[in-house]
Each structure stands twice: as C-alpha cells, then as structure tokens.
Amino acid sequence: MSKTEISTGTAFETLGNYCRAKRVGPFVFVAGTTAIDEHGAVYASGNTYNQSIYVFKRIRSMLQEMGAGVEHVVRTRAYLTDIARGAEEYLRAHGEVFRDVRPVATGVEAKLIMPGMMVEIEVDALVCDSQGNPAY
C-alpha cells in the first residue's frame, strides 16, 4: 500500500518526529493544525472564526497535495481554548467549509500552546472514486 507524507519542518514536528499529514492508501490524516502564519505568529489572535477559516485553508491545501479534497473528509476534531465563547464561531466556519459534506465532528476544550491561539483542527479523509470505492 502506498504512503505519502507532508512535513513542514516545524520545531514541533522535528522534536516529536511526526509529519503534518499522511496518506496511506485511500486514507488521509491531517494532524492538529493551528493558525500560525508564515512568520510564526498567531493569525487573527483571539478570533475563533477567522482562525478556523485560516486553518481550514491550510488543511484544504494539504488535502489537495495528498490527492484529496474537503469532499473526502469523514471526521473533524476541533480543540477550542474556550468552548463557551468560540464554539458558535467555529461551527459557523465548519458549516461554510463542509456545507454539503457533513463529516462527523467532535469539539473539545483544551489549552493551546500560544496566547491568542483559539483553535486547533485535525481531519481524517477517505478518498473514493465516483462510485464510492476507495481510491488506492
């Protein structure tokens, strides 16, 4: 079975010896992704909606690099620093991205590593052909 990996070379990936995304056969897994910009700063500090959209764009790019799209996403997980304050904003962004996909979704409250970071998102996808058969 074929394997493909994406690594971004961050210090955390190097220290933890993990990759950002991996495809194994028809399965694609994208690790927890945050709204860190190309300069290492938190994008839209304190804004869950804008961070969620930013993260989903990053995830979409990784999926495309793996031969998948948001239409193949079967599960999402969100880690929010403040569910009471950010859940509605996150869900609005999730609804816009996955309008016709409807993946199963989980959200939990968690501490994240940088001040102003509101959300971390991971996804799992299953790439299928037009007949619904797994695409190896």
Side-chain angles (χ1 to χ4, degrees):
M1 187 173 296
S2 66
K3 293 182 186 177
T4 306
E5 295 180 357
I6 295 175
S7 290
T8 58
T10 66
F12 288 116
E13 286 177 32
T14 302
L15 178 65
N17 196 27
Y18 70 92
C19 59
R20 177 67 37 206
K22 181 175 269 194
R23 179 170 178 168
V24 180
F27 302 100
V28 180
F29 308 95
V30 179
T33 304
T34 60
I36 299 295
D37 68 18
E38 63 276 3
H39 306 291
V42 175
Y43 175 84
S45 182
N47 187 309
T48 303
Y49 174 80
N50 287 340
Q51 284 188 18
S52 298
I53 293 296
Y54 184 88
V55 171
F56 283 132
K57 285 180 184 176
R58 291 184 65 201
I59 288 172
R60 184 186 310 253
S61 176
M62 285 182 265
L63 288 170
Q64 288 173 341
E65 197 170 328
M66 294 285 184
V70 294
E71 69 275 13
H72 298 113
V73 172
V74 295
R75 176 184 298 276
T76 63
R77 289 176 207 85
Y79 304 92
L80 298 153
T81 59
D82 187 343
I83 282 189
R85 196 176 104 198
E88 187 174 335
E89 293 177 23
Y90 169 74
L91 288 171
R92 184 165 50 104
H94 189 280
E96 291 171 11
V97 172
F98 296 106
R99 178 163 287 123
D100 297 320
V101 180
R102 297 179 50 86
V104 297
T106 302
V108 297
E109 188 168 286
K111 285 190 174 189
L112 298 179
I113 62 170
M114 294 177 74
M117 191 179 283
M118 304 306 291
V119 63
E120 180 172 343
I121 304 167
E122 58 184 43
V123 303
D124 301 332
L126 174 60
V127 183
C128 294
D129 63 22
S130 59
Q131 285 76 44
N133 299 310
Y136 291 88

